[in-house]
Short mmCIF file of all heavy atoms in Angstrom, two decimals:
data_model
loop_
_atom_site.label_atom_id
_atom_site.label_comp_id
_atom_site.label_asym_id
_atom_site.label_seq_id
_atom_site.Cartn_x
_atom_site.Cartn_y
_atom_site.Cartn_z
N SER A 1420 22.57 -143.65 201.95
CA SER A 1420 22.26 -142.24 202.23
C SER A 1420 22.48 -141.42 200.97
O SER A 1420 23.32 -141.75 200.13
CB SER A 1420 23.16 -141.69 203.35
OG SER A 1420 22.79 -142.21 204.61
N LEU A 1422 23.44 -137.66 199.66
CA LEU A 1422 23.95 -136.33 199.95
C LEU A 1422 23.48 -135.43 198.83
O LEU A 1422 24.08 -135.33 197.76
CB LEU A 1422 25.48 -136.34 200.04
CG LEU A 1422 26.08 -137.22 201.15
CD1 LEU A 1422 27.59 -136.99 201.27
CD2 LEU A 1422 25.41 -136.97 202.49
N ASN A 1470 17.67 -140.27 205.85
CA ASN A 1470 18.92 -140.60 205.18
C ASN A 1470 19.14 -139.79 203.90
O ASN A 1470 20.06 -140.06 203.14
CB ASN A 1470 18.97 -142.10 204.84
CG ASN A 1470 18.98 -142.96 206.09
OD1 ASN A 1470 19.54 -142.59 207.11
ND2 ASN A 1470 18.33 -144.11 206.02
N TRP A 1472 19.96 -136.03 202.70
CA TRP A 1472 20.51 -134.81 203.28
C TRP A 1472 20.54 -133.66 202.28
O TRP A 1472 20.87 -133.84 201.11
CB TRP A 1472 21.91 -135.08 203.83
CG TRP A 1472 21.88 -136.02 204.99
CD1 TRP A 1472 21.80 -137.39 204.94
CD2 TRP A 1472 21.84 -135.66 206.36
NE1 TRP A 1472 21.72 -137.90 206.20
CE2 TRP A 1472 21.75 -136.87 207.11
CE3 TRP A 1472 21.89 -134.46 207.05
CZ2 TRP A 1472 21.71 -136.89 208.49
CZ3 TRP A 1472 21.84 -134.47 208.44
CH2 TRP A 1472 21.75 -135.67 209.14
N ALA A 1482 29.96 -129.93 202.08
CA ALA A 1482 29.90 -131.35 201.72
C ALA A 1482 30.72 -132.20 202.69
O ALA A 1482 30.26 -133.26 203.14
CB ALA A 1482 30.42 -131.54 200.29
N TYR A 1483 31.92 -131.74 203.05
CA TYR A 1483 32.79 -132.50 203.95
C TYR A 1483 32.16 -132.66 205.32
O TYR A 1483 32.14 -133.77 205.89
CB TYR A 1483 34.14 -131.81 204.08
CG TYR A 1483 35.11 -132.51 205.00
CD1 TYR A 1483 35.93 -133.53 204.53
CD2 TYR A 1483 35.21 -132.14 206.34
CE1 TYR A 1483 36.83 -134.18 205.37
CE2 TYR A 1483 36.09 -132.79 207.20
CZ TYR A 1483 36.90 -133.80 206.71
OH TYR A 1483 37.77 -134.45 207.56
N GLU A 1484 31.62 -131.57 205.87
CA GLU A 1484 31.01 -131.62 207.20
C GLU A 1484 29.80 -132.56 207.21
O GLU A 1484 29.61 -133.32 208.17
CB GLU A 1484 30.60 -130.21 207.64
CG GLU A 1484 31.78 -129.28 207.92
CD GLU A 1484 32.70 -129.82 209.01
OE1 GLU A 1484 32.19 -130.31 210.04
OE2 GLU A 1484 33.93 -129.76 208.81
N THR A 1485 29.00 -132.51 206.16
CA THR A 1485 27.82 -133.38 206.11
C THR A 1485 28.22 -134.84 205.98
O THR A 1485 27.70 -135.71 206.68
CB THR A 1485 26.91 -132.98 204.93
OG1 THR A 1485 26.59 -131.59 205.03
CG2 THR A 1485 25.63 -133.80 204.94
N ALA A 1486 29.14 -135.11 205.06
CA ALA A 1486 29.59 -136.49 204.84
C ALA A 1486 30.22 -137.08 206.11
O ALA A 1486 29.95 -138.23 206.48
CB ALA A 1486 30.58 -136.54 203.68
N LYS A 1487 31.04 -136.30 206.79
CA LYS A 1487 31.70 -136.76 208.00
C LYS A 1487 30.67 -137.11 209.08
O LYS A 1487 30.78 -138.13 209.77
CB LYS A 1487 32.68 -135.71 208.51
CG LYS A 1487 33.61 -136.20 209.61
CD LYS A 1487 34.66 -135.15 209.93
CE LYS A 1487 35.63 -135.66 210.99
NZ LYS A 1487 36.66 -134.63 211.31
N TYR A 1488 29.65 -136.25 209.21
CA TYR A 1488 28.60 -136.50 210.20
C TYR A 1488 27.84 -137.78 209.86
O TYR A 1488 27.60 -138.63 210.73
CB TYR A 1488 27.64 -135.30 210.23
CG TYR A 1488 26.47 -135.49 211.17
CD1 TYR A 1488 26.62 -135.25 212.53
CD2 TYR A 1488 25.23 -135.91 210.70
CE1 TYR A 1488 25.55 -135.44 213.40
CE2 TYR A 1488 24.16 -136.09 211.55
CZ TYR A 1488 24.33 -135.85 212.92
OH TYR A 1488 23.27 -136.05 213.77
N VAL A 1489 27.46 -137.93 208.60
CA VAL A 1489 26.68 -139.10 208.17
C VAL A 1489 27.49 -140.39 208.37
O VAL A 1489 26.95 -141.41 208.83
CB VAL A 1489 26.25 -138.95 206.70
CG1 VAL A 1489 25.65 -140.25 206.16
CG2 VAL A 1489 25.25 -137.80 206.55
N LEU A 1490 28.78 -140.35 208.05
CA LEU A 1490 29.60 -141.55 208.16
C LEU A 1490 29.96 -141.92 209.60
O LEU A 1490 30.48 -143.01 209.85
CB LEU A 1490 30.89 -141.36 207.34
CG LEU A 1490 30.71 -141.32 205.81
CD1 LEU A 1490 32.01 -140.95 205.13
CD2 LEU A 1490 30.18 -142.66 205.30
N GLN A 1491 29.64 -141.04 210.54
CA GLN A 1491 29.89 -141.34 211.95
C GLN A 1491 28.64 -141.84 212.67
O GLN A 1491 28.69 -142.12 213.87
CB GLN A 1491 30.42 -140.08 212.66
CG GLN A 1491 31.85 -139.74 212.29
CD GLN A 1491 32.34 -138.48 212.99
OE1 GLN A 1491 31.73 -137.42 212.89
NE2 GLN A 1491 33.42 -138.60 213.73
N GLN A 1492 27.53 -141.96 211.93
CA GLN A 1492 26.29 -142.43 212.55
C GLN A 1492 26.39 -143.92 212.88
O GLN A 1492 27.10 -144.68 212.21
CB GLN A 1492 25.11 -142.17 211.62
CG GLN A 1492 24.86 -140.70 211.32
CD GLN A 1492 24.68 -139.90 212.59
OE1 GLN A 1492 23.75 -140.12 213.36
NE2 GLN A 1492 25.60 -138.96 212.82
N PRO A 1493 25.68 -144.37 213.94
CA PRO A 1493 25.71 -145.80 214.30
C PRO A 1493 25.31 -146.71 213.14
O PRO A 1493 25.90 -147.77 212.94
CB PRO A 1493 24.69 -145.89 215.45
CG PRO A 1493 24.65 -144.51 216.02
CD PRO A 1493 24.87 -143.58 214.87
N SER A 1494 24.30 -146.29 212.38
CA SER A 1494 23.89 -147.06 211.19
C SER A 1494 24.57 -146.48 209.96
O SER A 1494 23.92 -145.93 209.07
CB SER A 1494 22.37 -147.03 211.03
OG SER A 1494 21.91 -145.69 210.97
N ARG A 1495 25.89 -146.59 209.95
CA ARG A 1495 26.68 -145.98 208.88
C ARG A 1495 26.28 -146.56 207.52
O ARG A 1495 26.19 -147.76 207.34
CB ARG A 1495 28.17 -146.23 209.12
CG ARG A 1495 29.07 -145.76 207.98
CD ARG A 1495 30.53 -145.82 208.36
NE ARG A 1495 30.96 -147.13 208.78
CZ ARG A 1495 31.27 -148.13 207.94
NH1 ARG A 1495 31.16 -147.94 206.64
NH2 ARG A 1495 31.68 -149.29 208.41
N PRO A 1496 26.04 -145.68 206.53
CA PRO A 1496 25.66 -146.16 205.21
C PRO A 1496 26.80 -146.89 204.51
O PRO A 1496 27.97 -146.52 204.65
CB PRO A 1496 25.30 -144.87 204.45
CG PRO A 1496 26.07 -143.79 205.14
CD PRO A 1496 26.10 -144.19 206.59
N GLU A 1497 26.43 -147.91 203.76
CA GLU A 1497 27.41 -148.62 202.93
C GLU A 1497 27.48 -148.02 201.53
O GLU A 1497 28.39 -148.32 200.78
CB GLU A 1497 27.03 -150.10 202.84
CG GLU A 1497 27.12 -150.83 204.19
CD GLU A 1497 26.73 -152.29 204.07
OE1 GLU A 1497 26.34 -152.72 202.95
OE2 GLU A 1497 26.79 -152.99 205.08
N LEU A 1499 26.86 -144.14 199.52
CA LEU A 1499 26.56 -142.71 199.50
C LEU A 1499 26.30 -142.30 198.06
O LEU A 1499 27.18 -142.40 197.20
CB LEU A 1499 27.73 -141.88 200.05
CG LEU A 1499 27.91 -141.77 201.56
CD1 LEU A 1499 29.10 -140.86 201.86
CD2 LEU A 1499 26.66 -141.23 202.22
N ALA A 1510 33.26 -136.32 200.22
CA ALA A 1510 32.86 -137.50 200.99
C ALA A 1510 33.99 -138.53 201.04
O ALA A 1510 34.22 -139.18 202.07
CB ALA A 1510 31.60 -138.12 200.39
N GLN A 1512 37.15 -137.82 200.94
CA GLN A 1512 38.13 -137.29 201.88
C GLN A 1512 37.68 -137.49 203.32
O GLN A 1512 38.48 -137.87 204.20
CB GLN A 1512 38.36 -135.80 201.61
CG GLN A 1512 39.46 -135.17 202.46
CD GLN A 1512 40.80 -135.83 202.23
OE1 GLN A 1512 41.26 -135.89 201.10
NE2 GLN A 1512 41.45 -136.32 203.29
N ALA A 1513 36.39 -137.29 203.59
CA ALA A 1513 35.86 -137.48 204.94
C ALA A 1513 36.00 -138.94 205.35
O ALA A 1513 36.37 -139.25 206.50
CB ALA A 1513 34.40 -137.05 204.99
N ALA A 1514 35.71 -139.85 204.42
CA ALA A 1514 35.84 -141.28 204.72
C ALA A 1514 37.28 -141.64 205.07
O ALA A 1514 37.55 -142.35 206.05
CB ALA A 1514 35.35 -142.11 203.53
N LYS A 1515 38.21 -141.14 204.30
CA LYS A 1515 39.63 -141.42 204.55
C LYS A 1515 40.05 -140.88 205.91
O LYS A 1515 40.78 -141.53 206.66
CB LYS A 1515 40.49 -140.82 203.44
CG LYS A 1515 40.37 -141.53 202.11
CD LYS A 1515 41.25 -140.87 201.05
CE LYS A 1515 41.19 -141.61 199.73
NZ LYS A 1515 42.01 -140.94 198.68
N ASP A 1516 39.58 -139.67 206.24
CA ASP A 1516 39.95 -139.06 207.52
C ASP A 1516 39.37 -139.83 208.70
O ASP A 1516 39.89 -139.74 209.82
CB ASP A 1516 39.46 -137.60 207.56
CG ASP A 1516 40.25 -136.70 206.61
OD1 ASP A 1516 41.31 -137.14 206.10
OD2 ASP A 1516 39.79 -135.57 206.35
N LEU A 1517 38.30 -140.57 208.46
CA LEU A 1517 37.69 -141.40 209.52
C LEU A 1517 38.26 -142.82 209.52
O LEU A 1517 37.80 -143.67 210.29
CB LEU A 1517 36.17 -141.46 209.32
CG LEU A 1517 35.41 -140.15 209.56
CD1 LEU A 1517 33.96 -140.28 209.10
CD2 LEU A 1517 35.47 -139.74 211.02
N GLY A 1518 39.23 -143.06 208.68
CA GLY A 1518 39.85 -144.38 208.62
C GLY A 1518 39.06 -145.40 207.84
O GLY A 1518 39.28 -146.61 207.99
N LEU A 1519 38.15 -144.93 206.99
CA LEU A 1519 37.34 -145.84 206.18
C LEU A 1519 37.94 -145.98 204.78
O LEU A 1519 38.52 -145.03 204.25
CB LEU A 1519 35.91 -145.32 206.06
CG LEU A 1519 35.13 -145.15 207.38
CD1 LEU A 1519 33.79 -144.48 207.12
CD2 LEU A 1519 34.94 -146.51 208.05
N ASP A 1524 34.71 -150.12 202.52
CA ASP A 1524 33.83 -149.81 203.65
C ASP A 1524 32.60 -149.01 203.24
O ASP A 1524 31.53 -149.15 203.84
CB ASP A 1524 34.60 -149.03 204.72
CG ASP A 1524 35.72 -149.84 205.33
OD1 ASP A 1524 35.49 -151.04 205.60
OD2 ASP A 1524 36.82 -149.30 205.53
N VAL A 1525 32.78 -148.14 202.26
CA VAL A 1525 31.65 -147.33 201.80
C VAL A 1525 31.81 -147.07 200.30
O VAL A 1525 32.88 -146.72 199.82
CB VAL A 1525 31.56 -145.99 202.58
CG1 VAL A 1525 32.85 -145.19 202.48
CG2 VAL A 1525 30.38 -145.16 202.10
#
Side-chain angles (χ1 to χ4, degrees):
S1420 287
L1422 298 188
N1470 295 326
W1472 294 81
Y1483 179 86
E1484 291 301 317
T1485 306
K1487 191 173 182 180
Y1488 177 82
V1489 170
L1490 291 173
Q1491 287 179 304
Q1492 297 305 297
S1494 55
R1495 174 171 56 81
E1497 295 180 358
L1499 280 182
Q1512 185 60 56
K1515 289 179 178 178
D1516 290 348
L1517 292 171
L1519 300 174
D1524 295 318
V1525 57

